[in-house]
Amino acid sequence: MRPTIRGLTTLAGLLALTVATARSAPAQSLLPANAPAPAAASSRELTADQQVVHVLNRLAFGARPGDVERVRALGVDAWIEAQLAPEQIADPVADAFLRQFTALDLPAEVLIGRFPPPQLTLARTVIRRDAALSPADSARLRSELLEARRTTARMVGELHAAQVGRAVASERQLNEVLVDFWTNHFSVFSNKGPLGRHHVIGYQRDAIRPHVFGRFRDMLGAVAQSPAMLAYLDNAQSRADSGAPTLADQRRPAMRAQRPAAAGRRPVGQSRPPQPGTVRPPGAAPGTGRQPRMAQPPQMQQLLQRSRRGLNENYARELLELHTLGVDGGYSQQDVIEVARAFTGWTLRPPAAGNGFVFRPEFHDAGEKVVLGTRIPAGGGIDDGEQVLDILARHPATARFVAYKLAVRFVSDTPPDALVERAAATYLASDGDLRAVVRTIVTSPEFFASEAWRAKVKSPFEVVVSAARALGATPDPTPRTATMIATLGQPLYGHQAPNGWPETGDAWINTGSILSRINFGLAVAGGGVPGVSMRNWPRATTLASASREVQVDGVVQALLGGDVSPDTRAVLLSGRNPFLDAAEPAGLPDATNDMPDATGVMPDAAAAMNGARAQAESMAGGREPELRPAGGRRMGVGGGFGRIRPLDGLAQVIGLALGSPEFQRR
């Protein structure tokens, strides 16, 4: 018999938590001398045990076996301060894991040579097809293209495996959480342009990782000059509009005046006489005969057209709206134009030279600019862009925007205004010291408030990494685990729009995502995730032969912080998730041949949707979720992980626990 809709709703009812006030025992002797005193433990609304679980879920990607005991012994405040100084934390497991990859530390010019970009290889192939090619030459060109695609896929696979593996294995967990946050804040898309996948290899390494605990201005400047951002938001193509003065225009008369006269040199402005054998193109002025141009293949014509483009506002607009001031930061369209003019000439070297940042004076608009009321004198060159970054990094709107986004990540989808204002004040007082801003947020009473407990929905990246950590997984050296993150809806470097992946839970909760997350949990417990084995989970030995009730209690304590709703406990005891029971015969809506009911929804699909709505509301904190398949795609019973094999015993309890609302929230 199918479960009733009422039963489905009861299954995923909101958590009813009893909140008690308790005192944690910070290890004051381990705090740096210059660290501000944390919020008084007696003022925190979470119990001592909840605080331990809370920091491991917010400032780390979840607890590994033994982490709760270690943090409890050290003290929550001492653990936080240690995580705020990652340079002092040894990380041997993550360091050893990263040494197996060959592409991550290569300079750009070596990277491009060793992993030839397929699109450039294809362009050369198309150009050479204009000539007569022998069958052997054609076969060789096809082989070159296939090899370029294969090696580039291996390069990107190393990047993805390294990023996921670091998050799973690193002792510097807060550092990895912040790397994830800032990579998303300064989002780039790896499939933009022929070198997009090559650009992202060094993006985190050079622009993000060195600065997550430094000054925001330094990270802002590193991102502005990164090949990934210059190519993604098209600033590499931006140059002074026709008619605007450039630095080359200003320098040319001075250089000519200083150049000594040479015998036989024609006067400035006099055209070169026609040379023997040349033909004057139609429309050309007399005396300017040139060899006629050869027809260019389409790919080369596109490159030439791009090189003739003028001012591009893409980077300037996103710099103001998404990177610094925020959409309500008080800038105008004219400010966007002035900022774009300031960054003309910030471009890239050719691929053969490594495709790194270079400033081209001949592309730079040398005129005066006014940005947010600040005058930037004419002729400043590369310093125009640097001055814009200075203005933006020190702006109060930037301080509040950065503080707000960090508070959303660490506290709640709607963080208290008082906390945001205090964090913004720390930003301004410290000249954008991100370590100080993060410390203000994660030691605040608001961070330890009862409203913050399990108030955040995990992103797909967090779901996969936290599941691996919870079961003591070894980091996966292949891209398979990263592929699972993509299956759940968050491919690494795969967000096309510059606003990055959502930081709020409502964007991740829908019919397809609920089904996928539950099935992912079952796939993990069934041995379908690389590096995860039930035999290696420390509690498996003692729980495997225990009664069902003891298994449930042990799993709840180890994986769910010791506190679950009665409905979740009932699911773990029964071994059946009514949402899956309702969804399995029909999949998701429109996956059955039955006639729809009066609402236009299939009967079985209606039960699945009600189950999805109930569990989604539990995950989303009671908000009405959007019921649609993840990414707009229908997914089968396995939620994108294939047909999940039946589980029983301890594996079944673990799989259902990983799909529960308590595990899906942090």
Side-chain angles (χ1 to χ4, degrees), residues 237-260:
Q237 303 170 14
S238 185
R239 59 193 61 191
D241 278 331
S242 59
T246 67
L247 287 180
D249 295 333
Q250 293 182 350
R251 295 172 182 174
R252 193 173 294 115
M255 293 175 62
R256 287 173 177 166
Q258 296 172 6
R259 188 182 301 155

Side-chain angles (χ1 to χ4, degrees), residues 4-351:
T4 65
I5 292 178
R6 179 179 178 182
L8 287 166
T9 305
T10 303
L11 162 69
L14 295 175
L15 297 174
L17 299 176
T18 300
V19 179
T21 301
R23 178 183 298 271
S24 67
Q28 295 290 348
S29 60
L30 297 178
L31 300 182
N34 60 345
S42 59
S43 69
R44 296 174 180 174
E45 296 177 348
L46 299 183
T47 69
D49 286 343
Q50 286 176 334
Q51 290 178 43
V52 172
V53 174
H54 188 60
V55 297
L56 285 168
N57 280 333
R58 294 294 176 89
L59 310 187
F61 289 111
R64 296 168 302 181
D67 276 355
V68 168
E69 292 77 13
R70 282 187 285 270
V71 174
R72 184 183 291 123
L74 180 62
V76 167
D77 296 306
W79 184 85
I80 291 174
E81 285 302 326
Q83 288 294 315
L84 284 165
E87 63 278 3
Q88 300 177 21
I89 301 175
D91 208 8
V93 175
D95 291 343
F97 173 73
L98 294 173
R99 281 196 288 270
Q100 66 189 296
F101 300 118
T102 60
L104 301 184
D105 294 325
L106 292 178
E109 60 273 13
V110 176
L111 194 71
I112 293 172
R114 189 172 298 183
F115 303 94
Q119 287 178 264
L120 296 185
T121 302
L122 178 61
R124 288 196 299 269
T125 302
V126 172
I127 292 172
R128 293 169 68 179
R129 278 180 185 163
D130 292 343
L133 293 177
S134 67
D137 287 337
S138 296
R140 181 169 54 80
L141 290 174
R142 286 195 298 271
S143 177
E144 287 179 5
L145 180 59
L146 290 174
E147 179 64 11
R149 288 172 175 165
R150 186 186 69 80
T151 57
T152 299
R154 179 166 67 86
M155 174 191 72
V156 174
E158 287 192 6
L159 174 68
H160 291 176
Q163 185 167 334
V164 177
R166 260 177 161 154
V168 170
S170 178
E171 298 292 337
R172 302 162 182 164
Q173 279 290 291
L174 180 54
N175 188 79
E176 293 306 310
V177 169
L178 286 168
V179 166
D180 177 61
F181 171 83
W182 287 114
T183 302
N184 193 52
H185 178 85
F186 295 109
S187 181
V188 295
F189 179 52
S190 62
N191 286 333
K192 173 68 180 286
L195 288 168
R197 284 168 288 184
H198 291 68
H199 289 153
V200 297
I201 293 295
Y203 183 54
Q204 267 193 8
R205 179 193 69 204
D206 301 331
I208 304 297
R209 286 189 174 275
H211 307 294
V212 296
F213 285 109
R215 294 171 62 247
F216 179 74
R217 169 64 178 86
D218 295 335
M219 187 188 298
L220 193 65
V223 169
Q225 294 189 4
S226 67
M229 188 61 72
L230 285 164
Y232 172 55
L233 291 180
D234 303 314
N235 203 81
Q237 303 170 14
S238 185
R239 59 193 61 191
D241 278 331
S242 59
T246 67
L247 287 180
D249 295 333
Q250 293 182 350
R251 295 172 182 174
R252 193 173 294 115
M255 293 175 62
R256 287 173 177 166
Q258 296 172 6
R259 188 182 301 155
R265 176 177 291 162
R266 67 183 185 278
V268 174
Q270 179 176 313
S271 60
R272 183 188 297 274
Q275 301 299 311
T278 62
V279 179
R280 177 164 57 87
T288 60
R290 295 175 184 154
Q291 295 285 357
R293 292 181 181 270
M294 296 180 63
Q296 300 283 0
Q299 286 79 5
M300 190 60 69
Q301 291 178 7
Q302 292 174 8
L303 291 174
L304 291 172
Q305 290 171 1
R306 281 201 291 266
S307 70
R308 299 188 186 106
R309 291 177 182 172
L311 191 68
N312 190 301
E313 299 174 10
N314 288 354
Y315 172 66
R317 179 169 288 103
E318 309 309 345
L319 173 65
L320 297 173
E321 178 179 332
L322 298 177
H323 297 175
T324 57
L325 304 178
V327 67
D328 299 320
Y331 63 89
S332 67
Q333 173 58 26
Q334 187 59 41
D335 287 315
V336 173
I337 295 171
E338 299 291 277
V339 169
R341 292 176 59 218
F343 283 101
T344 48
W346 289 48
T347 186
L348 295 171
R349 294 186 178 90

